[in-house]
Amino acid sequence: MRLLVLVSLALSVSALPRSVRKANWAALPADVKDENLDLLFAHAIWRHGDRAPEHAIPGPDTDKFTEDDWTSGGGGYGELTPEGMMMHFNLGRMLRKRYITETFPKFISAAYNAKEIYIRSTDFNRTLISAYANVQGMFSGAGEPDQNYPTDVPDWPINFVPIPVHTVEESTDFQGRPSIPCARQDQLHELVKQSPDYQAYINDPQVAQTLAYLSEHTGSDVNVDNIYELQDPFFCEKNHIDELEPGVNISDIYSWYYTGDVETMVDWIVDKREQFTDGTGNPGGINGVDVSIEIPKIRAGETLKLFVGNVHGVLNCVENNLTDSCRKFYKKLKYFALSAHDSTLAAFLTILGVKKYVVTEGYPNYSSALLLEVYQDKTTSEKYFKVLYHAGVDDTGKPITSFVRGCDITSSTCPIAVLDDLVAKYAPDTDMATLCATPPNGAPPSSTTVTIKPESKPTGASSTSTTTK
């Protein structure tokens, strides 16, 4: 009887299947090259490709598969799959067409030039390997023999060009990981939980009914804070069931989950939770604190500073190539990429104000990417930027500049000053250690850590209450 009631209630929920959500993306216009603008610099941020789940389905004996069943990409939970590698190789091919061969031919050299590109990744296997696959898509087959790779090594992969990917210690990577432990972020989310909007969400009878149903069938306490830990392994197993157990339908293994609108309800609960996580679920203030500014500031303020800092580094070099930073890094730099997670990209989209237009629910797809490009007008020498978004496997990238907070909705370009305005509003004005130790006005004292879309340790480490997707 409980299941019948749940299915009946779920029919009225405004949750859209992810396949339907993609249709919204198709309405965006195609990219048009402006011949009066010279491209000066391109900055990219992307989500890694397809991966294994981060952990088993919660509950004793709920998951019919174990970590040993996930053998691809080196084996184990959280690792990039061959499909994920292919996604990023193909994205690299698309970037090659844009910056090397077609849209902006020879903007970047056809063969890898160490001074022109810089690739940065978070310190996770799946983001590092995604970056390696991506740059191979850009440069493999185009290197100079005995310059980009040796010819006197019999077993050297044909035309393989080794390209460095840089990373930093994960516990301090605020530019790449929105959910690094931060007391201020925990306190801000405690404020969010006090808001009428959040209370209406967690007290919705349909939400309560779904959580009770899932708890009963898994034998674990499923709540809004941990329901993603249930959604993720189901999503990954569904995508890879033909490899895990060929010839078997996933709904035959987990009939209780793949019945009625249970899966859709789970998506809706997780997607709604994400709005509160990123600070967009409560526009305005709570107890005098504007969480719609303060939460994005922690989750993507440092990412914004990285992007805008690199933009100004390149532009300053255009104006004065004698500066020390120009000589050391920016003089020939054309392209900088950050390989990260869906939470990283979602947080950055939130700061730009474009997430609601390009990711209407939930988080960005595997291999989704944002490109921020800097241009100079050939006539006036004025500098502008454009933003494009690549929505995943079947998308070639579309302009979203007019959606960016502060940009003219009727224009295809935006003044660089808008980026500076975003930095003034959202970038931390102190180091993150100091900011995280500073409680927001009106926040209750925090003696425990609140779980917010947690980040997981590398495979093989002990379990933790936090994950990065």
Side-chain angles (χ1 to χ4, degrees), residues 47 50-59 62-67 70 77-78 218 220 226-241 244 250 253-254 256-258 263 266-267 270 366 467 469:
R47 182 191 181 187
D50 179 85
R51 60 160 171 80
E54 300 235 64
H55 42 67
I57 299 170
T62 305
D63 204 324
K64 305 308 178 185
F65 304 100
T66 69
E67 185 169 17
W70 295 94
Y77 287 139
T218 62
S220 64
N226 65 21
I227 191 172
Y228 169 74
E229 296 177 13
L230 177 141
Q231 180 203 45
D232 179 67
F234 272 115
F235 176 78
C236 295
E237 289 187 15
K238 184 177 182 179
N239 285 350
H240 292 277
I241 189 61
L244 294 168
I250 189 76
I253 301 176
Y254 305 108
W256 58 272
Y257 187 80
Y258 294 102
E263 183 183 19
V266 171
D267 285 350
V270 172
Y366 290 135
T467 59
K469 297 192 285 179

Side-chain angles (χ1 to χ4, degrees), residues 97-405:
K97 288 181 180 180
R98 184 165 184 83
Y99 299 125
I100 298 176
T101 63
E102 295 183 9
T103 310
F104 298 100
K106 300 181 181 179
F107 172 68
I108 298 175
S109 300
Y112 166 63
N113 183 318
K115 301 296 184 182
E116 291 184 347
I117 75 167
Y118 189 93
I119 311 298
R120 159 87 178 271
S121 174
T122 60
D123 194 17
F124 284 74
N125 288 354
R126 57 183 174 272
T127 52
L128 287 161
I129 297 175
S130 290
Y132 291 130
N134 192 293
V135 292
Q136 287 307 309
M138 289 187 73
F139 294 104
S140 66
E144 296 291 333
D146 292 322
Q147 292 185 37
N148 296 111
Y149 58 90
T151 58
D152 58 353
V153 180
D155 294 328
W156 188 269
I158 297 174
N159 291 344
F160 169 71
V161 179
I163 296 172
V165 175
H166 306 268
T167 192
V168 299
E169 165 59 42
E170 67 169 287
S171 64
T172 60
D173 189 6
F174 285 96
Q175 295 172 331
R177 299 178 59 229
S179 295
I180 288 180
C182 175
R184 182 183 176 90
Q185 183 171 193
D186 295 343
Q187 291 160 354
L188 286 166
H189 280 280
E190 282 297 311
L191 281 177
V192 168
K193 289 184 175 183
Q194 299 172 20
S195 70
D197 289 341
Y198 187 87
Q199 289 299 313
Y201 160 62
I202 62 172
N203 291 316
D204 187 314
Q206 299 169 44
V207 172
Q209 183 81 2
T210 303
L211 297 176
Y213 175 81
L214 295 171
S215 297
E216 177 182 327
H217 280 274
T218 62
S220 64
D221 176 22
V222 180
N223 55 59
V224 294
D225 286 334
N226 65 21
I227 191 172
Y228 169 74
E229 296 177 13
L230 177 141
Q231 180 203 45
D232 179 67
F234 272 115
F235 176 78
C236 295
E237 289 187 15
K238 184 177 182 179
N239 285 350
H240 292 277
I241 189 61
D242 288 341
E243 304 153 34
L244 294 168
E245 194 158 343
V248 175
N249 194 309
I250 189 76
S251 61
D252 292 335
I253 301 176
Y254 305 108
S255 58
W256 58 272
Y257 187 80
Y258 294 102
T259 185
D261 282 348
V262 174
E263 183 183 19
T264 301
M265 278 294 303
V266 171
D267 285 350
W268 185 85
I269 294 171
V270 172
D271 293 348
K272 187 69 175 176
R273 176 71 165 80
E274 183 275 330
Q275 295 175 21
F276 296 106
T277 300
D278 270 345
T280 57
N282 293 100
I286 302 173
N287 290 355
V289 178
D290 191 340
V291 294
S292 67
I293 293 177
E294 295 303 321
I295 291 177
K297 182 180 293 187
I298 291 174
R299 293 180 66 78
E302 288 294 309
T303 314
L304 178 67
K305 285 169 66 174
L306 172 69
F307 268 60
V308 180
N310 285 333
V311 167
H312 280 296
V314 170
L315 291 181
N316 290 341
C317 210
V318 170
E319 302 297 333
N320 179 10
N321 63 12
L322 299 180
T323 63
D324 191 50
S325 63
C326 177
R327 288 195 301 267
K328 290 182 177 179
F329 188 65
Y330 290 112
K331 187 173 184 178
K332 295 183 178 180
L333 186 67
K334 299 290 187 68
Y335 174 74
F336 188 114
L338 174 61
S339 182
H341 310 268
D342 55 358
S343 56
T344 320
L345 185 51
F348 192 62
L349 291 169
T350 298
I351 270 191
L352 294 183
V354 301
K355 182 175 180 290
K356 60 185 177 181
Y357 300 106
V358 299
V359 186
T360 55
E361 299 286 350
Y363 277 80
N365 299 326
Y366 290 135
S367 76
S368 294
L370 178 142
L371 303 174
L372 188 151
E373 300 176 340
V374 179
Y375 295 84
Q376 178 172 272
D377 189 292
K378 294 179 181 179
T379 304
T380 66
S381 295
E382 289 294 320
K383 313 299 191 301
Y384 302 93
F385 72 91
K386 290 183 178 182
V387 179
L388 295 90
Y389 189 67
H390 165 77
V393 177
D394 299 323
D395 184 67
T396 57
K398 295 176 182 177
I400 58 173
T401 315
S402 59
F403 298 150
V404 174
R405 204 186 311 270

